Amino acid sequence: MASKKVLKELVNLREVLQRHNRLYHVMDNPEVSDAEYDELFSRLLEIEKRYPELVTASSPSRRVGAERLKAFKSIQHRIPMLSLEKCTQAGELLDWQTRASNHLGDSRKQSERVIHYTCEPKIDGVAVSLVYLKGTLVSAATRGDGRTGEGILENVRTIKSIPLVLEGDNIPKELEVRGEIYMPVQGFHSFNERAADSGQKLLINPRNGAAGSLRQLDPKVTAQRPLTMYCYSAGYYSDDWQPSSHWQVLQVFSSWGLRVNNETSLVEGVDACITYIDALLQRRDALAYEIDGVVIKVDDLDLQNKLGELTRTPRWAIAYKYPSQEATTILKSVDFQVGRTGAITPVARLEPVFVGGVTVSNATLHNMDEIKRLGLKEGDRVLLRRAGDVIPKIVKVVKPADDSEISSVEIRLPEFCPACGTAIVVARDEAIARCPAGLYCSAQRKEAFRHFASRPAMDIDGLGDKIVELLIEHELVEKLSDLYALRAEQIAALDRMGEKSANNIVKALQESKSTTLARFLYALGIREVGEATAANLAVHFGDIDAIKLADPDSLMQVEDVGEVVAQNIVRYFSNAQAWEDIVALRAAGVHWPIVEPASRQDTVLPLQDQTWVLTGTLQEMPRTQAKAALQKLGAKVAGSVSAKTTCVVAGEKSGSKLAKAQELGIRVIDEPALMELLGSHGESE
Ligand code: IVH
């Protein structure tokens, strides 16, 4: 028997853990570190192990997942779960409002009867119903056919943002909460990365991921999936609660620890709904979850009641649908493109199709492994997805060409480079096929120049793709340094080039000569040396000659530089032609300020050995400047968040990096805090 003292500790531990759980998963505002949480959690497990009779279904320890089920119970919804009428145009929304007004028999003038609406992102997930009795979660079900769903309580209990016990004032005796369980985009991507690494089947989209995860008979599997929930309405509730508006329902939900989408807006009239719809569409790709539209609901619950329901849809709500991010189309053929580093990438040529708001006729296929994994043949009908990542992707074969009249064609890697005819090489340990001809290959040369001129590199305004192509075709440039010998007349003589734009290019070339070592290193296009790595190399070594002399070991002292990257750098600088070109570029006047290399400074800088990440938009100074200021204080500035990150500076509209930092429990500061820090070290100007 447990003593009174242990019982008290147990009750207290559960309360404390529940509170921290809510702060972390629902409010995004943790108060304790992961380690402190883990310690409390271990203590709970310890007590429950010693006194198994004290374990309850709602104990935070149950989040890991109960025993495997044999089947899902079928659960009848007390009130049917309806679906929504759909529309895709502003005019249809106005019609809907008119119909609603007519139904209400409202005789006032249109202009005088402004209805309040809530606008909510329509999350692409799985609709669920949760039942809380006296504040404790006792049942969870999928929507099913609207009347009966599947009981998924054991799986739902593993989702940490769903409270097992509600906390707060005036919780009704009985409450049914409805909402959408979904897989955040980032979680979906990391799940697929892991699945690909271990040769498992990939999820098609976050919605499928959520649905599949909830349909697991083993709750321990569900517990491993990145799922969360937004609560969007109350189903049945006992009459000890009398909310008067939908907006109020959401506010109160939030006060009880239920996760509510803070993108939800309360607006007046249909015009304001349209403004909301347009604005949200602009930000669709930046959201942490996938949406397929906006749900508009009449806010006043009395009005909702008066409006009532049709057979399957309510009159008081409507879904405005955005363009679908998936469509099927025919794979006509596959071409092979040569990238900057010689990588041969298969590109799908598709029957044009409207997806994610644009017409798509090409999609990347990454490499031959991807083609093999998809079992892809020319002529297949494929499912295409164009989501936040913008680059359209083939996710699966819907109908193989073999099944239809079209004859299917096997996709083979060409033997020779399509640009220069050199034999293609496939390294044993690489999934990637390459043309080994380097700058002798016209395709690689074009890409190298394009990269050199690009904005984050030498930022040569006006030197776009077309001109680069012409310069190479006319053999006006061969090495990068040739760019700086170009005369305006030579450029002006090219197709469709005016004298003015030729002069502008020469001017831009001239201006680009004054650069930074980081930009220059990045511009060289050394394999796998991105912007962040280039910046770290620049800070560490101070000048390019030191980098040329560095051996792999000293290169690996630099943040982000592993064995492969170090070898790429050594290989690049030991190439005599590449070095000659660098010398020629400097002789042509390309220069950068020499910085005292971090590796040789004796004094310990304030942010020495720290790794910082900048994300989102900063108001006070450009990101490049903030980066330089942090580097001056000794910090390495990395492009992505990892366990090694010391601190993340989150500007406005911070997205996935901020989420990742929060997930990893890494310190996050906002822009004012950054300015204060820089100011205290005299780096704010
Ligand atoms: S309200 C009668 N609100 O969209 C009210 N639904 O076709 C019905 N959904 O099955 C639901 N986000 O899965 C509502 N903020 C939101 C929603 C939402 C996503 C889904 C839900 C439902 C479907 C309606």
Side-chain angles (χ1 to χ4, degrees), residues 82-84 120-123 127 143 180 232 295 297 314 316:
L82 302 176
S83 49
L84 291 171
E120 306 169 16
K122 187 167 184 299
I123 310 282
R143 176 175 179 276
E180 200 86 352
Y232 57 60
V295 182
K297 298 173 186 167
W316 45 265

Side-chain angles (χ1 to χ4, degrees), residues 561-622:
V561 178
E563 216 172 300
V564 178
V565 179
Q567 258 153 25
N568 288 342
I569 297 169
V570 169
R571 199 174 308 135
Y572 187 91
F573 283 98
S574 55
N575 176 332
Q577 270 166 337
W579 183 250
E580 252 172 49
D581 206 17
I582 291 172
V583 172
L585 283 161
R586 286 167 105 180
V590 174
H591 66 279
W592 49 84
I594 308 289
V595 275
E596 176 69 7
S599 61
R600 257 185 273 134
Q601 280 159 355
D602 307 328
T603 45
V604 179
L605 292 168
L607 305 184
Q608 193 83 42
D609 298 329
Q610 300 193 2
T611 304
W612 286 58
V613 172
L614 295 164
T615 179
T617 327
L618 301 181
Q619 306 296 328
E620 300 285 325
M621 55 164 73

Side-chain angles (χ1 to χ4, degrees), residues 326-330 351-355 381-384 396 398:
E326 284 174 11
T328 77
T329 187
I330 303 280
E351 200 74 68
V353 62
F354 190 71
V355 56
R381 177 163 283 278
V382 295
L383 179 67
L384 189 71
K396 71 169 183 178
V398 187

Side-chain angles (χ1 to χ4, degrees), residues 449-526:
F449 276 93
R450 219 173 267 175
H451 175 78
F452 185 79
S454 67
R455 181 155 302 183
M458 299 298 282
D459 192 15
I460 307 169
D461 227 14
L463 199 66
D465 294 2
K466 270 272 153 302
I467 298 168
V468 165
E469 249 168 61
L470 289 170
L471 289 173
I472 288 174
E473 272 162 31
H474 289 78
E475 296 180 2
L476 287 172
V477 293
E478 202 176 293
K479 307 181 278 19
L480 294 171
S481 54
D482 294 340
L483 280 174
Y484 292 97
L486 284 172
R487 281 172 288 114
E489 309 88 80
Q490 288 175 301
I491 302 174
L494 297 172
D495 271 3
R496 275 172 292 154
M497 273 301 276
E499 204 171 303
K500 194 163 165 226
S501 25
N503 282 329
N504 283 342
I505 292 176
V506 172
K507 195 165 147 241
L509 275 162
Q510 195 60 31
E511 281 165 6
S512 76
K513 287 181 183 173
S514 171
T515 184
T516 64
L517 178 57
R519 276 173 174 276
F520 183 75
L521 282 172
Y522 172 67
L524 292 176
I526 305 166

Side-chain angles (χ1 to χ4, degrees), residues 47-62:
I47 299 179
E48 289 189 351
K49 195 171 165 201
R50 186 143 16 117
Y51 307 102
E53 69 278 11
L54 298 181
V55 176
T56 61
S58 305
S59 169
S61 64
R62 300 302 91 194

Side-chain angles (χ1 to χ4, degrees), residues 80-86 119-128 143 178-181 230-233 246 261 264 291-297 309 312-314 316-319 321:
M81 289 181 81
L82 302 176
S83 49
L84 291 171
E85 184 185 330
K86 296 175 181 65
C119 299
E120 306 169 16
K122 187 167 184 299
I123 310 282
D124 220 356
V126 178
V128 295
R143 176 175 179 276
R178 291 180 177 178
E180 200 86 352
I181 291 182
Y230 274 134
C231 302
Y232 57 60
S233 72
H246 179 59
N261 194 337
T264 305
I291 59 172
D292 57 352
V294 172
V295 182
I296 296 145
K297 298 173 186 167
E309 274 110 44
R312 262 178 307 152
T313 57
W316 45 265
I318 191 164
K321 297 272 280 183

